[in-house]
Amino acid sequence: MGAPEKTAGGNNAYHNFHNDFLHIKDPNERRRLALAEVDKAPFGWYHVRAVAVAGVGFFTDSYDIFTASLLTVMVGVVYFPGVGKMPTTSDTALKLATSAGTVIGQVGFGAAADIFGRKSMYGLELLFIIFATLAQALASGSPSINIIGILIFWRVLMGVGIGGDYPLSSIITSEFATTKWRGAMMGAVFAMQGLGQLAAAFVMLFVTLGFKKSLEPAPTLATCTGDCAVAVDKMWRTVIGMGAVPGCIALYYRLTIPETPRYTFDVKRDVEQASDDIEAFKNGQPKGQPDEATRIAIQKEAEKKMEIPKASWRDFLRHYSKRKNAMLLAGTALSWCFLDIAYYGVSLNNATILEVIGYSTSGAKNTYEILYNTAVGNLIIVLAGAVPGYWVTVFTVDTIGRKPIQFMGFGILTILFVVMGFAYKHLSPNALLAIFVLAQFFFNFGPNATTFIVPGEVFPTRYRSTSHGLSAAMGKIGSIIGQGAIAPLRTRGAVPGNPNPWMDHVLEIYALFMLLGVGTTFLIPETKRKTLEELAGEYDMSGEEEAQRNAAAVIENKTDAPHGQ
């Protein structure tokens, strides 16, 4: 095999790390040194770019999910004249359709990213979201097709795309991140959910203000016909359609990212390509350009010498037949599941909360005030705890750690749900408001963020995406259980003067699941300031630490010498 040739490029701004490690023949050592350089790289604009590209997807996801509650209100006005709202079954089906599609996307795209590569899948899930979002905005009923059925179909398809974004955005951010700030980078991606919800509430507010004159003549939603109904029809299509805009902006950048070096090293075993892709990522290029003959020769050599096990069904079953690995997957999956079962519980008291802050729809005088109060009320609810909680996590997750934050979150939420449940009939509306704000804050400065971050770190590269997808899917199944099975119990034994007699018992059930979350948190490790290879536990970490020291020494020596070839 001929000696590898140096590649061109490299300057004071973009150092050519490929040439630094060119003299090293052992593919395992080259892998260690190259990945150590990714892990020890100072935080730079290429990290900000990675967070922004992944974050825009999550912004879009949360916007589209959040608009479901607004969609059901407005579609009820337009397509059920004289009633002003859609049947409860249709309302529930529309809201759960996205969740059902999300489960499929999380498992499907998660596995596909491990089989075909992160780059091959990244952007494809965004195309699903964009196409299905625009299709919803342009959908209409006919004598043979019900509008609700059409919307459910497109929301399931949109959910598939949203589901794919969970594992892909998490692991791509994780695999490109510097070890020191990996949690903050992944947390910042997830925090874009709060901004997406905020944007949805603002768009709803603006379109309501824009159609004020058409909405004011109708005293109730049931009497919103003629020009009023046309206005509401335009409103929901605008609100839904705007969800495709950020996705379109991010699409180019997602389709042109390089493959993550860890996937290229560990799954493709393409040492030369992975080394060049590290530089491509830093320079904002779609792919490294190594010498092809050298790349193929070294890849054949790496197939024989690489220490990391090769991905296969047999290896997958072998890996998860080990108790330690199975318990780890159970810890991430069940923590996410228990979280999402109760996450919906906070919104059960929204009507009371809106009344306390003065934006209840019950006292509205016309359709405009109903929709205006809905928009502003949702805006305040998002700002009351949710957005601050996301960003407190971003700024503390790499210092406090993932596990303490998750323990604290589940513990405090258990107490809050116990108080709400057992003292529900004795709490004043202001007390419910205070508990609501605290719950919103500690969901997001707590397990809502950490259950997303940890599965993107603790699994080996060859199964990282699949394992994250399975964990996320368990979370979404929990959400379906919480919304579709547990929440409806609150109406058990309902009478005209008391529509929710079982509300206290439902909140007590949610408290139990928060307590179970405390238990499953014991199954996950602390991941802060540890490399992904160390967390995967695939080999002796004394070699990893030595590789990091060697990489630092090589770069320091090269920095003192002239750059270029």
Side-chain angles (χ1 to χ4, degrees):
M1 184 179 73
E5 297 181 0
K6 286 190 174 184
T7 57
N11 52 46
N12 287 331
Y14 300 110
H15 191 78
N16 195 329
F17 294 104
H18 170 264
N19 290 347
D20 292 335
F21 308 129
L22 195 64
H23 61 286
I24 298 168
K25 300 295 187 290
D26 180 10
N28 294 292
E29 187 61 15
R30 283 190 68 180
R31 171 184 178 274
R32 286 190 178 97
L33 286 167
L35 294 184
E37 187 50 43
V38 173
D39 292 334
K40 292 180 73 68
F43 192 81
W45 280 110
Y46 46 90
H47 291 121
V48 175
R49 185 172 64 241
V51 169
V53 172
V56 169
F58 262 81
F59 178 98
T60 304
D61 298 345
S62 67
Y63 180 101
D64 291 334
I65 293 170
F66 188 78
T67 53
S69 59
L70 306 175
L71 174 68
T72 55
V73 172
M74 292 186 282
V75 169
V77 171
V78 177
Y79 289 95
F80 297 89
V83 180
K85 65 176 184 178
M86 64 175 64
T88 304
T89 51
S90 298
D91 184 285
T92 304
L94 261 180
K95 290 175 180 175
L96 293 181
T98 309
S99 296
T102 302
V103 173
I104 299 168
Q106 287 164 335
V107 176
F109 274 98
D114 279 338
I115 297 169
F116 303 109
R118 285 71 161 123
K119 178 179 171 62
S120 300
M121 293 294 106
Y122 210 38
L124 182 60
E125 87 293 351
L126 204 54
L127 284 171
F128 268 77
I129 296 170
I130 293 168
F131 182 75
T133 299
L134 292 175
Q136 284 177 76
L138 299 173
S140 184
S142 75
S144 62
I145 303 177
N146 186 281
I147 182 66
I148 305 300
I150 295 172
L151 291 175
I152 288 172
F153 173 81
W154 289 120
R155 288 196 75 81
V156 169
L157 195 63
M158 182 183 74
V160 172
I162 290 173
D165 208 25
Y166 275 75
L168 282 165
S169 289
S170 174
I171 61 170
I172 286 173
T173 306
S174 171
E175 291 177 0
F176 274 126
T178 174
T179 301
K180 187 176 182 181
W181 301 116
R182 187 176 62 237
M185 289 177 64
M186 296 175 75
V189 169
F190 194 67
M192 294 300 287
Q193 281 196 336
L195 299 183
Q197 293 168 7
L198 207 58
F202 269 118
V203 171
M204 178 64 182
L205 177 61
F206 293 150
V207 296
T208 303
L209 292 170
F211 287 100
K212 182 178 180 180
K213 289 184 178 179
S214 299
L215 300 174
E216 282 182 325
T220 64
L221 296 181
T223 57
C224 181
T225 54
D227 288 343
C228 178
V230 171
V232 176
D233 195 42
K234 292 177 181 177
M235 285 169 61
W236 77 259
R237 295 178 190 279
T238 303
V239 170
I240 295 297
M242 286 294 290
V245 174
C248 292
I249 295 170
L251 186 59
Y252 167 78
Y253 297 98
R254 289 201 171 192
L255 293 173
T256 56
I257 66 158
E259 182 57 86
T260 70
R262 284 181 162 89
Y263 183 85
T264 309
F265 272 126
D266 293 1
V267 181
K268 289 186 175 180
R269 298 170 183 264
D270 195 339
V271 176
E272 230 15 50
Q273 185 67 59
S275 299
D276 275 36
D277 281 349
I278 292 172
E279 282 311 294
F281 166 66
K282 288 188 169 187
N283 296 345
Q285 296 168 353
K287 191 177 182 180
Q289 301 293 336
D291 178 75
E292 193 64 17
T294 303
R295 184 188 73 80
I296 294 170
I298 292 177
Q299 186 177 15
K300 287 181 180 178
E301 190 74 13
E303 286 282 353
K304 302 173 186 175
K305 294 185 176 181
M306 288 291 279
E307 297 169 355
I308 301 299
K310 197 166 186 178
S312 66
W313 276 111
R314 178 177 292 181
D315 180 67
F316 181 83
L317 295 174
R318 178 199 63 79
H319 181 79
Y320 281 112
S321 66
K322 293 181 179 178
R323 186 175 184 276
K324 181 186 76 170
N325 299 332
M327 294 301 284
L328 180 56
L329 182 59
T332 58
L334 291 176
S335 293
W336 208 331
C337 179
F338 296 151
L339 160 78
D340 275 13
I341 285 174
Y343 189 60
Y344 180 72
V346 180
S347 64
L348 291 180
N349 290 300
N350 276 6
T352 305
I353 302 305
L354 292 173
E355 194 169 337
V356 172
I357 60 179
Y359 286 97
S360 172
T361 57
S362 59
K365 299 174 183 176
N366 53 48
T367 298
Y368 167 75
E369 286 190 10
I370 293 170
L371 296 179
Y372 177 83
N373 287 355
T374 300
V376 177
N378 278 305
L379 195 62
I380 294 170
I381 283 171
V382 173
L383 288 170
V387 171
Y390 281 117
W391 291 100
V392 172
T393 299
V394 172
F395 293 118
T396 60
V397 71
D398 284 310
T399 51
I400 297 175
R402 287 69 152 156
K403 199 168 181 176
I405 289 175
Q406 187 162 310
F407 265 130
M408 175 197 65
F410 272 129
I412 292 175
L413 288 165
T414 301
I415 295 168
L416 292 174
F417 274 107
V418 164
V419 172
M420 276 198 292
F422 288 95
Y424 185 76
K425 295 174 182 176
H426 307 288
L427 291 172
S428 68
N430 286 325
L432 271 177
L433 173 62
I435 293 173
F436 173 85
V437 172
L438 287 171
Q440 285 274 45
F441 181 81
F442 284 107
F443 263 120
N444 296 302
F445 177 45
N448 197 32
T450 56
T451 51
F452 171 81
I453 294 171
V454 173
E457 302 177 304
V458 296
F459 301 107
T461 300
R462 63 192 187 279
Y463 304 129
R464 184 172 292 128
S465 181
T466 302
S467 303
H468 192 289
L470 290 171
S471 300
M474 279 298 293
K476 200 51 66 175
I477 289 170
S479 174
I480 294 170
I481 293 170
Q483 292 183 62
I486 299 175
L489 291 175
R490 69 189 188 277
T491 61
R492 187 176 180 182
V495 293
N498 186 10
N500 298 309
W502 255 54
M503 179 70 87
D504 53 347
H505 299 309
V506 167
L507 294 170
E508 289 160 13
I509 293 170
Y510 288 142
L512 172 62
F513 282 105
M514 291 295 91
L515 184 61
L516 290 172
V518 174
T520 55
T521 302
F522 282 104
L523 300 176
I524 66 170
E526 178 50 64
T527 61
K528 73 169 183 176
R529 305 287 161 88
K530 293 181 180 179
T531 69
L532 297 180
E533 285 64 46
E534 182 179 357
L535 291 165
E538 292 286 349
Y539 50 80
D540 181 9
M541 287 317 301
S542 60
E544 174 72 10
E545 291 164 6
E546 185 180 349
Q548 292 210 17
R549 287 195 295 272
N550 291 343
V554 169
I555 302 314
E556 186 176 348
N557 293 336
K558 288 286 182 178
T559 304
D560 296 333
H563 299 301
Q565 300 291 327

